[in-house]
Amino acid sequence: MAKLRVQIVTAEREVLTEDDVDMVVAPGSEGVVGILPRHAPLLTTLNPGVIRIKKGGVESSMAVGGGFLQVANDRIRILADTAEREDEVDEARADAARQRAQAALQDALKSGQHTQAEAARTALRRSLVRIQVAQRRSGRRSAPTQSSTANTL
Amino acid sequence: MPSLRDIRRRIKSVKNTAQLTRALQLVAASRMRRAQQRVLAARPYAEAMRELIGELAGQSRAAGADLHPLLAHRTVAGVGVVLITPDRGLAGPLNTNIIRRGTEVIMREEGQSLNVQVVTAGRKGQDFLARRGRKLLGTFTGIIDRGAYDDAIPIARLVMDSYASGAIDRCFLVYPRFVSTLVQRPEVVQLLPVEGPATADDAANTGKDLEYIYEPNPGAILEALLPRYVEVQIYQALLETAASEQSARMVAMRNATDNAKELVQTYTLTYNKIRQAGITREVTEIASAAEAMAASSR
C-alpha cells in the first residue's frame, strides 16, 4: 500500500522529514483534516494546533502555531510558523506563557483593545497547544486547565 | 641598509598584527559555522514557500480572479531598494562588492527617472549612503548577527506599507548570497510585486496540472501567504548576509595572518643576513689587524 512522505519546515529549520507514514491529522483552518495515502491534492491554511503522525502503529505529535499544508502525490508539506516535537516542548515554560497570555487577554478585554486581545488570544491558543502536546507525551489526557481556559477563547 | 634594531622592531610589530588577525580569524570561524548552519537550515522553508506561491499565483491568474495587491504589476513611478550589508568591516571585499551592486541598482532605476527610496539593514550600507547625502526611508542595525525572524518583520512591514500607500511600485532586495566559504555573490531579487518561481523547472516540479482543493480558497490562502513570503525573503537575506560576513572575514583574516607570517620570515632572513654580514666584517677586521700586528713585530 502507498505511504505518505511528510516534511515539516519552519522559517528557521527543517523540523522533520519522514517516509512511510500511514496517516496525518492536522488542524486545518476549515476543520481538522485527516490525510491518508492517495489523498486528493490539497492546499490549506493551518490553525495553531496539534499535528498527529501515525506510522506503523506508533503515533507521534507535534505542536504547530499555524501555517500552511500542501498535499500532492502522497507528499505532505507543512510550512509551520512554529513547530515543536513533543519531546521538545517545555511544559513549565508553556504554562508560564499560558498564564501571561491569559493575563494579557483579560487586560485587553477590559480596556477594549481589540488588536491586543486578538494577539493575546493567538498566544494563548499556541501555549495551550504546546501544553496539550506535552501532556500527550507524558501519557496524561486533557487536564482541567484546558477546559477552564477554553471558555475564554 | 636598515639597522638591526629597525628590523627587530618591524618583526615585533608584524607579529603583533598577526596575533590580532589570528584572533579575529578564530572568532569569525566559530561564528561562521553557526551562521552557515542557520542559513542552510532555513533554505528548505524559503524554497517550499516559493513553490507554493508559484502554484497559487498561476491558479489565481488562470481563474481570472482579482490578483492580490502584492502580486499586481502597476505602472512604476517609485522604486524601493532594500540593501542588506554587514554591520562591520574587516571582511575583505564583501562590503565593497555588495554596496557597489546596490549602488548600481539605485543608479539604474534613477537613470530611468524613477524615484528611488532606500531601506538599509546593516551599518555599512547605511553609512555609505548617508555619506553620499542620500535620505533613507528606513535603517536597521544590529540585527545581522542575531539571525532572529522577528527582526525581519519590521523591514517587511515598512516595505509593504510603502507599497500599499503607493510610495513605491516595485521593490528590490540586494544582499550578499552565501555560496560557499570562499564565494559570496551579490544578489538582486525582486521583492514586490511578488513573482512566481524564477525558473520553469520549479514550476514543473510542483506538478502544475494538479487540481488542488483549496481551503478556504486560493484568495484567502494568498492573503495569508504573501506577507509571510515577503518576511521570509528578508529573513533569508539576513541569514545569507550573516553567513557571508563571517565567511568573508574568516578568509580575509586568514590571508592577513598568512601574509604576516611570510613577512616575518622575510624580515628574519634579512635580519640574519645583516647580522652575519656584521660578524664576517668584524672577523675579517680582527684577522687583518692581527696579521698586521704580526707582520710589524716580526
Side-chain angles (χ1 to χ4, degrees):
Chain A
M1 199 182 120
K3 300 274 186 179
L4 293 163
R5 178 184 169 78
V6 182
Q7 183 189 24
I8 301 182
V9 289
T10 66
E12 282 89 9
R13 69 201 171 114
E14 195 165 345
V15 185
L16 168 143
T17 36
E18 199 143 359
D19 285 317
D20 300 327
V21 170
D22 295 309
M23 176 164 135
V24 172
V25 179
S29 55
E30 304 284 279
V32 174
V33 287
I35 295 152
L36 292 166
R38 303 221 175 95
H39 194 284
L42 167 74
L43 207 60
T44 179
T45 48
L46 294 180
N47 285 341
V50 181
I51 288 179
R52 287 185 289 147
I53 298 167
K54 276 188 195 156
K55 178 183 178 179
V58 186
E59 187 179 299
S60 56
S61 53
M62 183 163 278
V64 293
F68 307 92
L69 177 143
Q70 180 190 21
V71 188
N73 300 326
D74 285 343
R75 284 192 52 193
I76 300 182
R77 193 146 60 180
I78 295 168
L79 287 83
D81 296 351
T82 62
E84 285 163 291
R85 280 197 300 271
E86 50 195 343
D87 51 343
E88 290 172 344
V89 177
D90 182 341
E91 197 178 344
R93 244 185 64 193
D95 202 54
R98 179 187 61 81
Q99 281 163 12
R100 262 202 318 277
Q102 237 165 349
L105 178 59
Q106 236 109 66
D107 279 359
L109 284 178
K110 247 180 242 155
S111 52
Q113 293 161 303
H114 292 294
T115 42
Q116 274 96 326
E118 205 37 62
R121 237 182 232 126
T122 313
L124 183 53
R125 246 179 246 135
R126 275 187 194 166
S127 62
L128 285 178
V129 165
R130 295 227 293 283
I131 292 167
Q132 202 182 329
V133 168
Q135 286 174 349
R136 191 186 294 276
R137 167 194 48 187
S138 53
R140 283 171 294 149
R141 285 285 156 178
S142 58
T145 50
Q146 232 177 299
S147 49
S148 64
T149 49
N151 297 330
T152 58
L153 287 179
Chain B
M1 191 176 263
S3 76
L4 285 180
R5 185 139 48 97
D6 283 344
I7 297 186
R8 227 172 11 232
R9 203 183 299 141
R10 275 254 186 76
I11 291 178
K12 209 171 159 196
S13 134
V14 173
K15 271 188 178 157
N16 276 338
T17 309
Q19 221 165 48
L20 192 89
T21 56
R22 177 145 180 81
L24 279 170
Q25 176 196 335
L26 293 178
V27 172
S30 82
R31 290 203 181 144
M32 176 186 85
R33 262 189 300 277
R34 208 162 357 122
Q36 288 184 357
Q37 271 164 11
R38 242 195 228 142
V39 70
L40 295 179
R43 275 184 190 163
Y45 185 86
E47 268 155 36
M49 201 136 219
R50 240 190 307 276
E51 284 177 29
L52 267 190
I53 294 275
E55 195 86 50
L56 279 158
Q59 174 75 21
S60 103
R61 265 185 208 116
D66 267 1
L67 288 175
H68 189 277
L70 292 182
L71 285 170
H73 290 259
R74 310 193 292 229
T75 329
V76 180
V79 175
V81 173
V82 181
L83 178 62
I84 303 186
T85 63
D87 279 331
R88 275 181 292 266
L90 289 181
L94 180 74
N95 278 306
T96 321
N97 286 343
I98 186 62
I99 289 173
R100 188 195 300 130
R101 193 79 189 86
T103 324
E104 274 168 19
V105 173
I106 295 171
M107 303 285 255
R108 186 188 71 201
E109 298 300 318
E110 279 183 340
Q112 296 167 22
S113 56
L114 299 171
N115 178 22
V116 177
Q117 312 242 35
V118 184
V119 178
T120 61
R123 189 162 281 120
K124 280 288 161 182
Q126 175 190 337
D127 289 354
F128 177 83
L129 292 173
R131 257 203 312 280
R132 294 176 129 212
R134 180 173 282 280
K135 283 223 175 58
L136 299 170
L137 183 59
T139 58
F140 299 86
T141 49
I143 61 177
I144 305 290
D145 291 338
R146 304 205 310 143
Y149 188 86
D150 289 350
D151 289 334
I153 295 174
I155 305 177
R157 176 109 312 136
L158 175 64
V159 170
M160 286 189 284
D161 285 351
S162 311
Y163 187 79
S165 74
I168 58 174
D169 304 295
R170 183 185 285 161
C171 185
F172 293 103
L173 181 61
V174 185
Y175 66 95
R177 180 179 161 82
F178 167 77
V179 181
S180 71
T181 303
L182 294 172
V183 182
Q184 298 88 35
R185 196 173 298 137
E187 188 122 307
V188 183
V189 297
Q190 182 172 321
L191 202 56
L192 292 171
V194 173
E195 299 279 8
T199 64
D201 240 20
D202 290 348
N205 287 338
T206 54
K208 264 268 176 280
D209 45 347
L210 290 177
E211 283 283 321
Y212 274 91
I213 302 167
Y214 295 95
E215 283 182 18
N217 56 62
I221 298 178
L222 272 179
E223 187 71 43
L225 197 59
L226 285 173
R228 181 89 186 157
Y229 177 70
V230 175
E231 286 170 15
V232 166
Q233 290 266 322
I234 292 172
Y235 174 62
Q236 183 73 25
L238 291 177
L239 294 183
E240 300 273 354
T241 306
S244 295
E245 178 189 358
Q246 299 304 340
S247 305
R249 178 166 306 130
M250 203 280 283
V251 172
M253 289 303 118
R254 195 175 57 196
N255 287 341
T257 311
D258 290 350
N259 286 344
K261 276 186 191 146
E262 212 179 291
L263 257 187
V264 168
Q265 256 171 23
T266 341
Y267 278 143
T268 312
L269 188 64
T270 323
Y271 176 81
N272 284 334
K273 270 186 187 158
I274 295 174
R275 190 175 55 89
Q276 191 57 53
I279 293 168
T280 313
R281 202 178 56 237
E282 274 171 33
V283 169
T284 36
E285 270 166 16
I286 292 166
S288 59
E291 214 157 280
M293 278 168 71
S296 65
S297 68
R298 218 183 282 139

mmCIF file of all heavy atoms in Angstrom, chain B residues 195-232:
data_model
loop_
_atom_site.group_PDB
_atom_site.id
_atom_site.type_symbol
_atom_site.label_atom_id
_atom_site.label_comp_id
_atom_site.label_asym_id
_atom_site.label_seq_id
_atom_site.Cartn_x
_atom_site.Cartn_y
_atom_site.Cartn_z
ATOM 1 N N GLU B 195 6.927 37.752 -7.578
ATOM 2 C CA GLU B 195 6.982 36.967 -8.808
ATOM 3 C C GLU B 195 6.910 35.491 -8.449
ATOM 4 O O GLU B 195 7.311 35.083 -7.372
ATOM 5 C CB GLU B 195 8.300 37.229 -9.554
ATOM 6 C CG GLU B 195 8.492 38.671 -9.973
ATOM 7 C CD GLU B 195 7.727 39.004 -11.249
ATOM 8 O OE1 GLU B 195 6.944 38.156 -11.701
ATOM 9 O OE2 GLU B 195 7.920 40.116 -11.765
ATOM 10 N N GLY B 196 6.436 34.694 -9.377
ATOM 11 C CA GLY B 196 6.356 33.256 -9.148
ATOM 12 C C GLY B 196 7.739 32.643 -9.159
ATOM 13 O O GLY B 196 8.728 33.341 -9.046
ATOM 14 N N PRO B 197 7.825 31.329 -9.298
ATOM 15 C CA PRO B 197 9.120 30.652 -9.351
ATOM 16 C C PRO B 197 9.992 31.239 -10.453
ATOM 17 O O PRO B 197 9.485 31.578 -11.525
ATOM 18 C CB PRO B 197 8.752 29.205 -9.685
ATOM 19 C CG PRO B 197 7.355 29.053 -9.251
ATOM 20 C CD PRO B 197 6.717 30.392 -9.411
ATOM 21 N N ALA B 198 11.284 31.346 -10.188
ATOM 22 C CA ALA B 198 12.180 32.016 -11.113
ATOM 23 C C ALA B 198 12.359 31.212 -12.397
ATOM 24 O O ALA B 198 12.463 31.766 -13.472
ATOM 25 C CB ALA B 198 13.524 32.255 -10.455
ATOM 26 N N THR B 199 12.371 29.894 -12.276
ATOM 27 C CA THR B 199 12.624 29.072 -13.460
ATOM 28 C C THR B 199 11.444 28.163 -13.743
ATOM 29 O O THR B 199 10.653 27.850 -12.859
ATOM 30 C CB THR B 199 13.866 28.194 -13.256
ATOM 31 O OG1 THR B 199 13.586 27.287 -12.198
ATOM 32 C CG2 THR B 199 15.076 29.027 -12.929
ATOM 33 N N ALA B 200 11.354 27.732 -14.991
ATOM 34 C CA ALA B 200 10.283 26.828 -15.379
ATOM 35 C C ALA B 200 10.440 25.478 -14.678
ATOM 36 O O ALA B 200 9.476 24.766 -14.457
ATOM 37 C CB ALA B 200 10.282 26.637 -16.886
ATOM 38 N N ASP B 201 11.666 25.175 -14.320
ATOM 39 C CA ASP B 201 11.959 23.924 -13.631
ATOM 40 C C ASP B 201 11.164 23.796 -12.337
ATOM 41 O O ASP B 201 10.565 22.760 -12.062
ATOM 42 C CB ASP B 201 13.447 23.852 -13.303
ATOM 43 C CG ASP B 201 14.105 22.659 -13.954
ATOM 44 O OD1 ASP B 201 13.509 22.143 -14.920
ATOM 45 O OD2 ASP B 201 15.179 22.256 -13.500
ATOM 46 N N ASP B 202 11.186 24.855 -11.543
ATOM 47 C CA ASP B 202 10.483 24.848 -10.269
ATOM 48 C C ASP B 202 9.009 24.557 -10.479
ATOM 49 O O ASP B 202 8.397 23.792 -9.755
ATOM 50 C CB ASP B 202 10.614 26.211 -9.575
ATOM 51 C CG ASP B 202 12.035 26.431 -9.097
ATOM 52 O OD1 ASP B 202 12.796 25.447 -9.114
ATOM 53 O OD2 ASP B 202 12.358 27.559 -8.713
ATOM 54 N N ALA B 203 8.461 25.203 -11.487
ATOM 55 C CA ALA B 203 7.038 25.054 -11.741
ATOM 56 C C ALA B 203 6.706 23.608 -12.115
ATOM 57 O O ALA B 203 5.704 23.059 -11.688
ATOM 58 C CB ALA B 203 6.610 25.992 -12.859
ATOM 59 N N ALA B 204 7.601 22.998 -12.889
ATOM 60 C CA ALA B 204 7.361 21.627 -13.318
ATOM 61 C C ALA B 204 7.370 20.673 -12.128
ATOM 62 O O ALA B 204 6.569 19.749 -12.046
ATOM 63 C CB ALA B 204 8.411 21.219 -14.339
ATOM 64 N N ASN B 205 8.266 20.930 -11.181
ATOM 65 C CA ASN B 205 8.402 20.030 -10.040
ATOM 66 C C ASN B 205 7.166 19.980 -9.168
ATOM 67 O O ASN B 205 6.870 18.964 -8.561
ATOM 68 C CB ASN B 205 9.601 20.437 -9.185
ATOM 69 C CG ASN B 205 10.902 20.080 -9.872
ATOM 70 O OD1 ASN B 205 10.919 19.202 -10.734
ATOM 71 N ND2 ASN B 205 11.973 20.766 -9.519
ATOM 72 N N THR B 206 6.475 21.093 -9.068
ATOM 73 C CA THR B 206 5.331 21.118 -8.174
ATOM 74 C C THR B 206 4.104 20.487 -8.826
ATOM 75 O O THR B 206 3.093 20.300 -8.174
ATOM 76 C CB THR B 206 4.982 22.552 -7.762
ATOM 77 O OG1 THR B 206 4.811 23.315 -8.955
ATOM 78 C CG2 THR B 206 6.072 23.160 -6.922
ATOM 79 N N GLY B 207 4.184 20.151 -10.103
ATOM 80 C CA GLY B 207 3.051 19.483 -10.737
ATOM 81 C C GLY B 207 1.941 20.452 -11.051
ATOM 82 O O GLY B 207 0.900 20.486 -10.406
ATOM 83 N N LYS B 208 2.171 21.260 -12.064
ATOM 84 C CA LYS B 208 1.249 22.349 -12.398
ATOM 85 C C LYS B 208 -0.159 21.864 -12.722
ATOM 86 O O LYS B 208 -1.139 22.578 -12.541
ATOM 87 C CB LYS B 208 1.782 23.116 -13.612
ATOM 88 C CG LYS B 208 2.566 24.357 -13.239
ATOM 89 C CD LYS B 208 1.636 25.563 -13.201
ATOM 90 C CE LYS B 208 2.347 26.815 -12.742
ATOM 91 N NZ LYS B 208 2.495 26.860 -11.295
ATOM 92 N N ASP B 209 -0.252 20.639 -13.251
ATOM 93 C CA ASP B 209 -1.545 20.188 -13.764
ATOM 94 C C ASP B 209 -2.450 19.610 -12.679
ATOM 95 O O ASP B 209 -3.548 19.171 -12.963
ATOM 96 C CB ASP B 209 -1.329 19.164 -14.894
ATOM 97 C CG ASP B 209 -0.262 18.151 -14.511
ATOM 98 O OD1 ASP B 209 0.441 18.409 -13.517
ATOM 99 O OD2 ASP B 209 -0.146 17.127 -15.195
ATOM 100 N N LEU B 210 -1.972 19.614 -11.426
ATOM 101 C CA LEU B 210 -2.800 19.031 -10.369
ATOM 102 C C LEU B 210 -3.982 19.933 -10.040
ATOM 103 O O LEU B 210 -3.875 21.136 -10.015
ATOM 104 C CB LEU B 210 -1.953 18.824 -9.100
ATOM 105 C CG LEU B 210 -0.906 17.726 -9.189
ATOM 106 C CD1 LEU B 210 -0.102 17.682 -7.913
ATOM 107 C CD2 LEU B 210 -1.579 16.378 -9.440
ATOM 108 N N GLU B 211 -5.123 19.281 -9.805
ATOM 109 C CA GLU B 211 -6.313 20.018 -9.418
ATOM 110 C C GLU B 211 -6.358 20.089 -7.899
ATOM 111 O O GLU B 211 -6.711 19.122 -7.238
ATOM 112 C CB GLU B 211 -7.558 19.292 -9.935
ATOM 113 C CG GLU B 211 -7.828 19.480 -11.407
ATOM 114 C CD GLU B 211 -8.429 20.860 -11.690
ATOM 115 O OE1 GLU B 211 -9.268 21.315 -10.878
ATOM 116 O OE2 GLU B 211 -8.065 21.463 -12.702
ATOM 117 N N TYR B 212 -6.010 21.211 -7.346
ATOM 118 C CA TYR B 212 -5.965 21.309 -5.894
ATOM 119 C C TYR B 212 -7.335 21.615 -5.302
ATOM 120 O O TYR B 212 -8.167 22.274 -5.926
ATOM 121 C CB TYR B 212 -5.004 22.424 -5.477
ATOM 122 C CG TYR B 212 -3.590 21.969 -5.374
ATOM 123 C CD1 TYR B 212 -2.744 22.045 -6.469
ATOM 124 C CD2 TYR B 212 -3.093 21.465 -4.182
ATOM 125 C CE1 TYR B 212 -1.431 21.623 -6.371
ATOM 126 C CE2 TYR B 212 -1.788 21.044 -4.078
ATOM 127 C CZ TYR B 212 -0.954 21.117 -5.178
ATOM 128 O OH TYR B 212 0.325 20.707 -5.084
ATOM 129 N N ILE B 213 -7.504 21.115 -4.082
ATOM 130 C CA ILE B 213 -8.624 21.579 -3.271
ATOM 131 C C ILE B 213 -8.054 22.698 -2.415
ATOM 132 O O ILE B 213 -6.984 22.529 -1.804
ATOM 133 C CB ILE B 213 -9.130 20.460 -2.333
ATOM 134 C CG1 ILE B 213 -9.552 19.246 -3.148
ATOM 135 C CG2 ILE B 213 -10.252 20.959 -1.449
ATOM 136 C CD1 ILE B 213 -9.762 18.012 -2.283
ATOM 137 N N TYR B 214 -8.710 23.849 -2.376
ATOM 138 C CA TYR B 214 -8.200 24.956 -1.581
ATOM 139 C C TYR B 214 -9.091 25.193 -0.391
ATOM 140 O O TYR B 214 -10.312 25.308 -0.538
ATOM 141 C CB TYR B 214 -8.111 26.228 -2.421
ATOM 142 C CG TYR B 214 -7.107 26.130 -3.530
ATOM 143 C CD1 TYR B 214 -7.494 25.766 -4.809
ATOM 144 C CD2 TYR B 214 -5.760 26.388 -3.283
ATOM 145 C CE1 TYR B 214 -6.563 25.665 -5.826
ATOM 146 C CE2 TYR B 214 -4.825 26.292 -4.295
ATOM 147 C CZ TYR B 214 -5.235 25.924 -5.570
ATOM 148 O OH TYR B 214 -4.307 25.825 -6.569
ATOM 149 N N GLU B 215 -8.493 25.237 0.771
ATOM 150 C CA GLU B 215 -9.268 25.565 1.960
ATOM 151 C C GLU B 215 -8.642 26.758 2.644
ATOM 152 O O GLU B 215 -7.464 26.701 2.985
ATOM 153 C CB GLU B 215 -9.305 24.365 2.913
ATOM 154 C CG GLU B 215 -10.271 23.308 2.444
ATOM 155 C CD GLU B 215 -10.348 22.134 3.406
ATOM 156 O OE1 GLU B 215 -9.924 22.282 4.568
ATOM 157 O OE2 GLU B 215 -10.843 21.089 3.007
ATOM 158 N N PRO B 216 -9.309 27.855 2.871
ATOM 159 C CA PRO B 216 -10.691 28.106 2.463
ATOM 160 C C PRO B 216 -10.815 28.331 0.944
ATOM 161 O O PRO B 216 -11.687 27.753 0.323
ATOM 162 C CB PRO B 216 -11.071 29.370 3.219
ATOM 163 C CG PRO B 216 -9.861 29.788 3.977
ATOM 164 C CD PRO B 216 -8.728 28.922 3.653
ATOM 165 N N ASN B 217 -9.937 29.168 0.331
ATOM 166 C CA ASN B 217 -9.953 29.380 -1.121
ATOM 167 C C ASN B 217 -8.623 30.019 -1.515
ATOM 168 O O ASN B 217 -7.921 30.547 -0.664
ATOM 169 C CB ASN B 217 -11.125 30.256 -1.540
ATOM 170 C CG ASN B 217 -11.123 31.582 -0.802
ATOM 171 O OD1 ASN B 217 -10.180 32.365 -0.928
ATOM 172 N ND2 ASN B 217 -12.148 31.827 0.006
ATOM 173 N N PRO B 218 -8.276 29.983 -2.794
ATOM 174 C CA PRO B 218 -6.949 30.479 -3.190
ATOM 175 C C PRO B 218 -6.681 31.904 -2.713
ATOM 176 O O PRO B 218 -5.586 32.220 -2.248
ATOM 177 C CB PRO B 218 -6.990 30.425 -4.717
ATOM 178 C CG PRO B 218 -7.976 29.368 -5.040
ATOM 179 C CD PRO B 218 -9.010 29.434 -3.942
ATOM 180 N N GLY B 219 -7.703 32.744 -2.817
ATOM 181 C CA GLY B 219 -7.528 34.141 -2.414
ATOM 182 C C GLY B 219 -7.135 34.271 -0.950
ATOM 183 O O GLY B 219 -6.202 34.989 -0.602
ATOM 184 N N ALA B 220 -7.841 33.550 -0.097
ATOM 185 C CA ALA B 220 -7.586 33.653 1.341
ATOM 186 C C ALA B 220 -6.205 33.085 1.691
ATOM 187 O O ALA B 220 -5.512 33.598 2.568
ATOM 188 C CB ALA B 220 -8.663 32.908 2.122
ATOM 189 N N ILE B 221 -5.832 32.019 0.988
ATOM 190 C CA ILE B 221 -4.522 31.439 1.266
ATOM 191 C C ILE B 221 -3.432 32.422 0.839
ATOM 192 O O ILE B 221 -2.467 32.658 1.571
ATOM 193 C CB ILE B 221 -4.352 30.078 0.551
ATOM 194 C CG1 ILE B 221 -5.396 29.092 1.077
ATOM 195 C CG2 ILE B 221 -2.956 29.527 0.787
ATOM 196 C CD1 ILE B 221 -5.357 27.738 0.417
ATOM 197 N N LEU B 222 -3.599 33.037 -0.323
ATOM 198 C CA LEU B 222 -2.647 34.047 -0.776
ATOM 199 C C LEU B 222 -2.549 35.185 0.229
ATOM 200 O O LEU B 222 -1.462 35.682 0.532
ATOM 201 C CB LEU B 222 -3.070 34.612 -2.126
ATOM 202 C CG LEU B 222 -2.578 33.892 -3.373
ATOM 203 C CD1 LEU B 222 -3.102 34.579 -4.603
ATOM 204 C CD2 LEU B 222 -1.057 33.855 -3.394
ATOM 205 N N GLU B 223 -3.698 35.598 0.719
ATOM 206 C CA GLU B 223 -3.776 36.681 1.690
ATOM 207 C C GLU B 223 -2.871 36.399 2.896
ATOM 208 O O GLU B 223 -2.198 37.280 3.416
ATOM 209 C CB GLU B 223 -5.234 36.816 2.154
ATOM 210 C CG GLU B 223 -5.532 37.992 3.026
ATOM 211 C CD GLU B 223 -5.474 39.298 2.238
ATOM 212 O OE1 GLU B 223 -6.008 39.331 1.102
ATOM 213 O OE2 GLU B 223 -4.893 40.248 2.761
ATOM 214 N N ALA B 224 -2.864 35.140 3.323
ATOM 215 C CA ALA B 224 -2.063 34.756 4.477
ATOM 216 C C ALA B 224 -0.607 34.520 4.078
ATOM 217 O O ALA B 224 0.318 34.775 4.844
ATOM 218 C CB ALA B 224 -2.637 33.495 5.120
ATOM 219 N N LEU B 225 -0.448 34.029 2.853
ATOM 220 C CA LEU B 225 0.868 33.551 2.426
ATOM 221 C C LEU B 225 1.804 34.686 2.009
ATOM 222 O O LEU B 225 2.989 34.687 2.337
ATOM 223 C CB LEU B 225 0.677 32.586 1.256
ATOM 224 C CG LEU B 225 1.830 31.658 0.885
ATOM 225 C CD1 LEU B 225 2.203 30.772 2.056
ATOM 226 C CD2 LEU B 225 1.447 30.808 -0.313
ATOM 227 N N LEU B 226 1.265 35.688 1.284
ATOM 228 C CA LEU B 226 2.132 36.687 0.670
ATOM 229 C C LEU B 226 2.922 37.545 1.663
ATOM 230 O O LEU B 226 4.138 37.683 1.510
ATOM 231 C CB LEU B 226 1.330 37.567 -0.298
ATOM 232 C CG LEU B 226 0.988 36.857 -1.618
ATOM 233 C CD1 LEU B 226 0.052 37.700 -2.444
ATOM 234 C CD2 LEU B 226 2.242 36.532 -2.407
ATOM 235 N N PRO B 227 2.256 38.095 2.688
ATOM 236 C CA PRO B 227 3.043 38.876 3.653
ATOM 237 C C PRO B 227 4.115 38.017 4.313
ATOM 238 O O PRO B 227 5.251 38.448 4.506
ATOM 239 C CB PRO B 227 2.003 39.329 4.678
ATOM 240 C CG PRO B 227 0.694 39.229 3.992
ATOM 241 C CD PRO B 227 0.830 38.104 3.015
ATOM 242 N N ARG B 228 3.755 36.798 4.612
ATOM 243 C CA ARG B 228 4.690 35.857 5.212
ATOM 244 C C ARG B 228 5.875 35.616 4.260
ATOM 245 O O ARG B 228 7.023 35.535 4.672
ATOM 246 C CB ARG B 228 3.930 34.539 5.460
ATOM 247 C CG ARG B 228 4.720 33.454 6.092
ATOM 248 C CD ARG B 228 4.636 33.526 7.602
ATOM 249 N NE ARG B 228 5.536 32.539 8.182
ATOM 250 C CZ ARG B 228 6.036 32.618 9.403
ATOM 251 N NH1 ARG B 228 5.714 33.623 10.172
ATOM 252 N NH2 ARG B 228 6.829 31.701 9.859
ATOM 253 N N TYR B 229 5.548 35.536 2.989
ATOM 254 C CA TYR B 229 6.578 35.285 1.984
ATOM 255 C C TYR B 229 7.580 36.432 1.928
ATOM 256 O O TYR B 229 8.795 36.210 1.864
ATOM 257 C CB TYR B 229 5.908 35.096 0.621
ATOM 258 C CG TYR B 229 6.863 34.889 -0.519
ATOM 259 C CD1 TYR B 229 7.596 33.719 -0.632
ATOM 260 C CD2 TYR B 229 7.042 35.869 -1.483
ATOM 261 C CE1 TYR B 229 8.468 33.523 -1.675
ATOM 262 C CE2 TYR B 229 7.916 35.685 -2.532
ATOM 263 C CZ TYR B 229 8.632 34.507 -2.626
ATOM 264 O OH TYR B 229 9.498 34.324 -3.658
ATOM 265 N N VAL B 230 7.075 37.652 1.969
ATOM 266 C CA VAL B 230 7.963 38.819 1.946
ATOM 267 C C VAL B 230 8.877 38.795 3.168
ATOM 268 O O VAL B 230 10.086 39.019 3.075
ATOM 269 C CB VAL B 230 7.140 40.128 1.889
ATOM 270 C CG1 VAL B 230 8.048 41.338 1.997
ATOM 271 C CG2 VAL B 230 6.343 40.182 0.597
ATOM 272 N N GLU B 231 8.300 38.477 4.326
ATOM 273 C CA GLU B 231 9.101 38.368 5.550
ATOM 274 C C GLU B 231 10.193 37.310 5.395
ATOM 275 O O GLU B 231 11.345 37.534 5.754
ATOM 276 C CB GLU B 231 8.217 37.976 6.741
ATOM 277 C CG GLU B 231 7.331 39.077 7.257
ATOM 278 C CD GLU B 231 6.310 38.550 8.258
ATOM 279 O OE1 GLU B 231 6.469 37.406 8.756
ATOM 280 O OE2 GLU B 231 5.346 39.262 8.517
ATOM 281 N N VAL B 232 9.784 36.171 4.858
ATOM 282 C CA VAL B 232 10.724 35.055 4.742
ATOM 283 C C VAL B 232 11.884 35.416 3.805
ATOM 284 O O VAL B 232 13.036 35.099 4.086
ATOM 285 C CB VAL B 232 10.003 33.783 4.246
ATOM 286 C CG1 VAL B 232 10.988 32.729 3.793
ATOM 287 C CG2 VAL B 232 9.129 33.235 5.347
#
